Amino acid sequence: MTKNKLKYLYLLFYLLIFSSICSAQNLNTFDSIKASQLKQRILVHNANDSIAVEASFELVNLYYQINLDSAIFYSKKALLISKKERNDSKIIEAYKWLSYLYSVQGKESKALEFILLELEKQKETKDTVAILSALNALGSFYVTQEEYELALKSFDEAIVLSKTNRVVNKEIIFNLYNNRAVVKTTLQDTEGALSDFLTALKFFKKQEGKGNASSVYLNLYATYSTLKNNKKANEYLDKTLKSLDSTSENYSKVLCSLAQKVEDNNLTRAIELTQKAYKSAEQKNRLEDIKTASLYLYKFYKKSKETEASLRFYEISVKAKDSLVSLKNEKRIIKQIEKNRYEKQKLLSDAENKLVLTKEKEAKERQKIISYSVGIGLVLVVIFLLFIYQKLQVTKKQNAIIALQKQEVEKQKETIEETHKEIRDSINYAERLQSAILPPQKAIKDSFSNSFVLFNPKDVVSGDFYWFEKRKGIKYLAVADCTGHGVPGALVSVVCSGALNQSVKEFLLKEPSEILNKTREIIVGTFAKSDEDIKDGMDIALCKFENDKLIFSGANNPLWIVRQLKELTEVQQNDRRTVVLNDLALIEIPANRQPVGLSLEMKLFEQKKIDLIKGDKIYLFTDGYADQFGGAKGKKLKSKALKEILISISNQSMSEQEVYLSKFFKNWIGGEEQIDDVCMIGVEV
């Protein structure tokens, strides 16, 4: 079994356990009244520090799921007061909160700072179990950063300490051995991992049944599979299956995933697992899971050449899919029926009102005839009374109609406002999700001191994104333009950014062309799971900076470099894409004419190596800036004009260039509408 399959199985069960924990928790909505009371308590009891500390921690509990900045603020407030009081337990609690909150916020260096502070403070307390817990947290943090040697060092230190002090807390010792085994697996020390997993299992059993053994058994199954000990591997696979919670919401999905993993080695076992998944989904009447399990059974039976069974489960998957579609259609039909019923009722009401008006008119006509017959002397009085009566009736009816119309307008207004709020909340949440995938601009500034990032989405969220990664002295920088803009473009950008990260961090690729090839493979594979033919992807310019060398690979998006004219080669000077202004020139490094995604003819991406010269200005960008309509004639700016602008401002600092480009773009648009997302990065070497 390969290292990637092992990682997949560990991740599968961590997600399973995490989802079961989350489903068991009741996430309360934010209590604004309680928050106000706690803030008031901090103000009133400022002299009584213990009350202020407790109130601060309660506010952290209220805010940490909805507002990380507020949670961090009150954690720091609790820490400050606790330090004045020299309350070690509360100081440690504050350190734990701050390390967690900064980790969630993506500020790994700050998170590490508070983990180390907690460890130092725990060592001062000389509480061995607490020190072990802190070392375990430190090792786990290093694992998330892929610093496996540092993680191993932390777990080793903790295990030696537990032996020296003869710690009897079985749970913490189990966690230490289990986590160290996972690290050893990643470092390909399979024998060492097996020893630690078996030790972890021994301590797990001593916990007297506390916790779920699924992850332990699965780790042993994966390790024995790597060692090609099929007997032991199957033994622990059986134990894994027995320990699973069949009532879990993800039970059927987990069984299907396990079946997929054992398919190559044991097709019969894969069919057995998928049959259990299908029966579970059928008992729970979960159509989506029935569809997934039946599709797997169709595939497995087809592979085993059991045509009848394969066909039967294919038909079941089609029926499940049709049922899912029918449910959606049924809801749509019910909505239409309600709409028709309302319109029919309205027509009946209008007809009844018309009949009433007709009868009233006939009554008035008869009254006139009677009035005339009484005598000429009474005609004027009757006419006057009828006139007053008619006005009163009309006014009354008009008031009633106006009241009904006002009520309907208010109802429609509330519906529109509620719908608008839901849409706005969804878009704002999508903006936060997209912000999470963008690297902090500070990280780029730290690596490229004279640089700028110009990011101007057309809507709240963007189809453009920028990407940065630094690994062992090598820096990667990219600007990408995904298919579409707004919410659809943002969704594609999440997939594309994740694929870039996976290519570098999981597959450990270093060359830009290899990274783009693997990223395309991941993106095409992701969208291939859809029933529709999706050709979404991205155009991108990707650079690798190492010492004084730059390696570039691009998909439709080129790279521009501004440098002294005298430094250009003869080929560069004669290139039709080169633009010269006085003693400066802008050269263009072309990209491959294909996207990172599904296309008719997909070729391997190429890369070009460029020797950098001190003072070179490098620009990565999407097409949104050059394609914008504007100016006096309302035409596109175009690439040549943008090149001339960049040459003309190249003597300014990058921060000044950013201000100029932003102001120029705003003035260029004028009264026009922005047509696309804009993203540009400038770097001076």
Side-chain angles (χ1 to χ4, degrees), residues 68-280:
L68 287 174
D69 289 334
S70 295
I72 290 171
F73 173 81
Y74 286 107
S75 295
K76 287 183 175 179
K77 189 173 189 68
L79 176 60
L80 182 65
I81 300 171
S82 300
K83 283 184 175 180
K84 289 180 182 179
E85 290 292 294
R86 297 182 179 179
N87 188 332
D88 288 344
S89 65
K90 295 301 178 183
I91 291 172
I92 290 170
E93 185 177 351
Y95 285 155
K96 287 181 177 179
W97 267 116
L98 286 166
S99 64
Y100 167 75
L101 293 169
Y102 278 122
S103 177
V104 174
Q105 205 174 50
K107 297 181 178 179
E108 287 81 7
S109 59
K110 294 293 290 183
L112 178 59
E113 174 189 341
F114 285 104
I115 290 173
L116 293 172
L117 285 171
E118 182 204 344
L119 177 58
E120 181 182 349
K121 180 59 70 174
Q122 294 286 19
K123 287 181 177 179
E124 290 176 9
T125 64
K126 297 182 180 180
D127 183 341
T128 305
V129 174
I131 295 171
L132 294 179
S133 179
L135 284 168
N136 188 46
L138 178 61
S140 299
F141 174 82
Y142 283 136
V143 170
T144 65
Q145 302 305 303
E146 298 185 5
E147 298 289 350
Y148 299 115
E149 295 293 345
L150 291 175
L152 188 61
K153 184 178 178 182
S154 298
F155 294 135
D156 285 343
E157 181 183 347
I159 289 172
V160 170
L161 181 63
S162 70
K163 290 178 179 178
T164 304
N165 292 272
R166 298 182 179 179
V167 175
V168 296
N169 187 310
K170 305 298 186 298
E171 182 179 356
I172 186 64
I173 297 174
F174 157 72
N175 286 328
L176 289 169
Y177 276 104
N178 192 63
N179 290 341
R180 188 173 74 171
V182 172
V183 172
K184 286 182 178 179
T185 300
T186 307
L187 295 174
Q188 297 185 336
D189 179 8
T190 309
E191 293 290 347
L194 177 60
S195 175
D196 279 354
F197 278 136
L198 290 172
T199 304
L201 180 60
K202 180 179 70 174
F203 281 102
F204 178 84
K205 290 178 178 179
K206 290 181 180 180
Q207 293 183 71
E208 298 177 353
K210 295 179 181 178
N212 190 307
S214 302
S215 62
V216 189
Y217 292 142
L218 183 64
N219 286 334
L220 284 165
Y221 158 70
T223 306
Y224 276 120
S225 295
T226 302
L227 293 171
K228 301 190 182 304
N229 188 336
N230 294 331
K231 181 178 179 182
K232 280 288 186 180
N234 289 330
E235 175 187 337
Y236 282 103
L237 178 59
D238 289 337
K239 290 183 178 181
T240 301
L241 294 170
K242 289 178 182 178
S243 62
L244 288 177
D245 181 7
S246 61
T247 62
S248 168
E249 184 176 330
N250 291 325
Y251 180 68
S252 180
K253 290 185 178 69
V254 172
L255 287 175
C256 287
S257 298
L258 282 173
Q260 190 179 13
K261 291 299 144 189
V262 302
E263 173 191 355
D264 294 336
N265 296 327
N266 193 335
L267 182 58
T268 302
R269 191 62 180 275
I271 292 173
E272 176 190 330
L273 292 173
T274 315
Q275 282 283 11
K276 289 181 68 174
Y278 174 76
K279 289 178 181 178
S280 174

Side-chain angles (χ1 to χ4, degrees), residues 2 71 105 108 128 130 182 184 226 242 256 295 308 338 366 379 421 431 472 493 531 569 580 585 676:
T2 64
Q105 205 174 50
E108 287 81 7
T128 305
V182 172
K184 286 182 178 179
T226 302
K242 289 178 182 178
C256 287
L295 278 174
E308 185 177 346
E338 286 297 317
R366 286 195 299 271
V379 169
K421 182 178 182 301
E431 180 186 19
K472 299 181 179 179
S493 75
D531 293 335
T569 65
V580 179
D676 200 358

Side-chain angles (χ1 to χ4, degrees), residues 641-653:
L642 180 56
K643 288 179 179 179
E644 292 173 349
I645 291 171
L646 292 176
I647 298 175
S648 69
I649 64 174
S650 63
N651 62 328
Q652 301 180 21
S653 69

Side-chain angles (χ1 to χ4, degrees), residues 385-402:
L385 291 174
L386 285 173
F387 177 77
I388 296 297
Y389 174 75
Q390 185 181 21
K391 284 293 182 183
L392 289 174
Q393 288 294 102
V394 170
T395 301
K396 183 178 178 181
K397 289 174 183 175
Q398 287 176 341
N399 288 339
I401 292 170
I402 290 170

Side-chain angles (χ1 to χ4, degrees), residues 286-304:
R286 295 178 63 85
L287 286 174
E288 191 66 43
D289 290 344
I290 290 172
K291 185 185 81 170
T292 302
S294 56
L295 278 174
Y296 273 118
L297 284 168
Y298 157 68
K299 172 187 171 184
F300 294 156
Y301 278 125
K302 184 178 180 182
K303 189 174 182 180
S304 65

Side-chain angles (χ1 to χ4, degrees), residues 353-627:
N353 290 336
K354 187 176 180 180
L355 180 61
V356 170
L357 290 173
T358 302
K359 289 181 178 180
E360 287 179 353
K361 186 177 180 181
E362 291 174 354
K364 289 174 185 177
E365 291 297 330
R366 286 195 299 271
Q367 185 65 38
K368 285 181 181 180
I369 295 172
I370 295 171
S371 298
Y372 285 133
S373 64
V374 171
I376 294 189
L378 298 176
V379 169
L380 294 176
V381 176
V382 172
I383 292 174
F384 178 74
L385 291 174
L386 285 173
F387 177 77
I388 296 297
Y389 174 75
Q390 185 181 21
K391 284 293 182 183
L392 289 174
Q393 288 294 102
V394 170
T395 301
K396 183 178 178 181
K397 289 174 183 175
Q398 287 176 341
N399 288 339
I401 292 170
I402 290 170
L404 287 173
Q405 290 176 340
K406 183 178 179 182
Q407 184 179 0
E408 184 63 28
V409 169
E410 289 292 333
K411 185 178 179 181
Q412 291 176 353
K413 180 184 176 185
E414 290 176 3
T415 303
I416 292 170
E417 288 177 347
E418 183 179 352
T419 303
H420 183 270
K421 182 178 182 301
E422 290 175 355
I423 294 171
R424 177 56 56 185
D425 289 346
S426 297
I427 294 175
N428 289 338
Y429 185 67
E431 180 186 19
R432 292 199 297 275
L433 286 177
Q434 187 176 48
S435 297
I437 72 168
L438 294 176
Q441 292 191 17
K442 184 179 182 302
I444 299 176
K445 280 284 187 183
D446 290 344
S447 294
F448 302 98
S449 56
N450 194 9
S451 63
F452 72 79
V453 176
L454 178 62
F455 186 59
N456 185 14
K458 177 183 182 296
D459 302 306
V460 177
V461 290
S462 170
D464 289 4
F465 72 92
Y466 54 93
W467 180 80
F468 173 73
E469 182 67 29
K470 184 175 182 182
R471 298 180 67 82
K472 299 181 179 179
I474 300 174
K475 295 170 281 189
Y476 297 90
L477 192 62
V479 168
D481 182 0
C482 296
T483 307
H485 47 71
V487 174
L491 292 174
V492 178
S493 75
V494 171
V495 174
C496 294
S497 176
L500 278 171
N501 287 324
Q502 191 176 353
S503 298
V504 174
K505 294 181 180 179
E506 181 178 336
F507 292 97
L508 304 177
L509 299 176
K510 296 181 179 179
E511 296 304 318
S513 59
E514 294 176 355
I515 292 171
L516 291 189
N517 288 328
K518 177 55 71 174
T519 300
R520 176 172 62 186
E521 179 184 329
I522 294 169
I523 291 171
V524 171
T526 300
F527 290 133
K529 298 174 184 177
S530 171
D531 293 335
E532 300 179 8
D533 185 15
I534 298 177
K535 296 184 179 180
D536 290 336
M538 64 177 170
D539 297 337
I540 187 171
L542 172 62
C543 292
K544 171 187 175 183
F545 295 85
E546 186 172 9
N547 300 324
D548 59 348
K549 306 291 183 185
L550 182 152
I551 300 177
F552 166 75
S553 185
N556 289 326
N557 286 356
L559 175 71
W560 290 353
I561 302 176
V562 176
R563 60 171 48 158
Q564 293 290 326
L565 177 61
K566 62 183 181 180
E567 301 292 348
L568 265 63
T569 65
E570 184 177 351
V571 173
Q572 290 173 339
Q573 291 182 11
N574 295 329
D575 192 330
R576 63 180 178 80
R577 293 175 295 235
T578 300
V579 176
V580 179
L581 189 63
N582 299 326
D583 59 345
L584 295 173
L586 186 149
I587 60 174
E588 178 175 316
I589 313 300
N592 288 97
R593 304 304 297 172
Q594 62 178 351
V596 181
L598 186 64
S599 59
L600 291 176
E601 185 177 358
M602 296 191 293
K603 301 178 181 178
L604 292 177
F605 285 96
E606 301 171 353
Q607 63 183 32
K608 299 176 178 65
K609 188 175 182 179
I610 301 107
D611 292 324
L612 295 175
I613 301 172
K614 184 173 177 58
D616 279 354
K617 280 85 173 178
I618 299 161
Y619 299 93
L620 300 88
F621 51 88
T622 60
D623 58 4
Y625 201 108
D627 286 351

